[in-house]
Amino acid sequence: MERELLAANLERVRLELAEATEGRWPVPRLVAVTKTHPLEDILPLRELGVTDVGENRVQELREKLPALAENYTVHLIGQLQSNKVKYIMESVSLIHSLDRWSLAREIDRQAQIHGKRMPVLVQVSPAGEPQKGGMDTAEVPGFIREAAKLPGMEIRGLMAVMPDTRDEDILLPLFRGMRTLFEQIRDEAVPGTAITELSMGMSGDYRLAARCGATMVRIGSAIFGPRPPMHP
Ligand SMILES: *Cc1c(COP(=O)(O)O)cnc(C)c1O
């Protein structure tokens, strides 16, 4: 991919993020979503100031390591099967998709084997779309109180994937609801947690997410252009 095009796309995204926060919030951290893109397209991002990349599939992430981990802070943003946790312990800096107790137990177990404490976000399903992963909003505070007792992980905040729509009347209340839940969890200050991150906003809706107080946005196609169809 042309470097000039990458640079122009990044500049536009950064400008729009800054505008959308309106000076009300800090500009969210950009996690460039690199799934389906080859390393030769990903590595130039570094010179353009990108520090964080996200992948959604463990298999693909493993194929791209260690080049990714050498150059970037790596995020696992997609649904995670418990039996794959062991493959990402060394290289991933933040798991965005903790959404069930069995996965919490396995992250805790593997982290202890590796002698580390794994930073995680709890994935919420604000519109009740279980196929996208995430737990119901109502379950989140109780889950965090329990999961915070596991010594192998540190809960850093919340993540959400919004419905596939451009309709602001649908999205705005969902983003605002996430921000409210984030502040509630943060203010509860459950011992063992360090709640600083609210990961929400993708290529179609990052402006709205930034306007509503996201601290991290996960952006793929607005940087790289549309993805080829996914292989099953
Ligand atoms: C693919 C993906 C993104 C980025 O999607 P774009 O629409 O290309 O920006 C963000 N979050 C998750 C969980 C994803 O799987």
Side-chain angles (χ1 to χ4, degrees), residues 22-230:
E22 296 165 334
R24 191 172 167 220
W25 316 99
V27 178
R29 172 130 58 122
L30 174 62
V31 177
V33 176
T34 50
K35 63 188 184 200
T36 75
H37 297 287
L39 285 171
E40 73 227 41
D41 284 351
I42 301 170
L43 294 178
L45 289 176
R46 222 190 101 137
E47 280 171 44
L48 297 167
V50 171
T51 54
D52 293 72
V53 298
E55 289 276 338
N56 73 331
R57 291 170 65 225
V58 171
Q59 179 61 35
E60 185 179 346
L61 174 62
R62 288 180 77 195
E63 285 162 15
K64 290 171 170 176
L65 292 169
L68 281 189
E70 255 168 41
N71 291 282
Y72 299 101
T73 298
V74 178
H75 300 247
L76 195 281
I77 62 172
Q79 290 180 40
L80 180 55
Q81 290 169 273
S82 296
N83 61 2
K84 303 225 167 116
V85 170
K86 55 179 174 284
Y87 299 124
I88 62 168
M89 269 297 143
E90 291 292 349
S91 50
V92 165
S93 296
L94 182 63
I95 295 174
H96 289 228
S97 47
L98 171 59
D99 64 354
R100 57 194 187 279
W101 187 246
S102 56
L103 180 58
R105 292 289 292 268
E106 181 60 8
I107 292 171
D108 178 53
R109 200 174 75 85
Q110 290 294 339
Q112 294 194 51
I113 292 171
H114 286 80
K116 68 186 280 186
R117 202 160 173 227
M118 189 71 199
V120 299
L121 304 181
V122 173
Q123 184 176 349
V124 185
S125 175
E129 297 178 291
Q131 71 282 8
K132 289 187 174 164
M135 61 176 67
D136 285 346
T137 307
E139 293 173 29
V140 172
F143 177 82
I144 289 179
R145 281 176 215 125
E146 282 309 304
K149 296 174 187 161
L150 298 173
M153 71 168 79
E154 182 172 73
I155 300 174
R156 295 272 175 90
L158 304 178
M159 180 272 222
V161 178
M162 292 296 168
D164 299 315
T165 175
R166 300 245 163 186
D167 187 341
E168 288 201 14
D169 293 339
I170 295 172
L171 291 174
L172 258 184
L174 295 176
F175 278 128
R176 290 199 175 118
M178 281 301 299
R179 178 73 204 191
T180 302
L181 182 62
F182 165 75
E183 290 179 5
Q184 179 194 324
I185 302 293
R186 186 191 61 192
D187 296 348
E188 189 179 331
V190 176
T193 65
I195 307 294
T196 55
E197 301 299 342
L198 176 56
S199 167
M200 59 182 190
M202 304 171 32
S203 291
D205 57 17
Y206 62 85
R207 298 165 202 80
L208 277 185
R211 211 211 287 176
C212 296
T215 69
M216 268 181 194
V217 290
R218 310 175 309 269
I219 300 183
S221 46
I223 296 172
F224 289 107
R227 272 184 296 280
M230 292 279 276

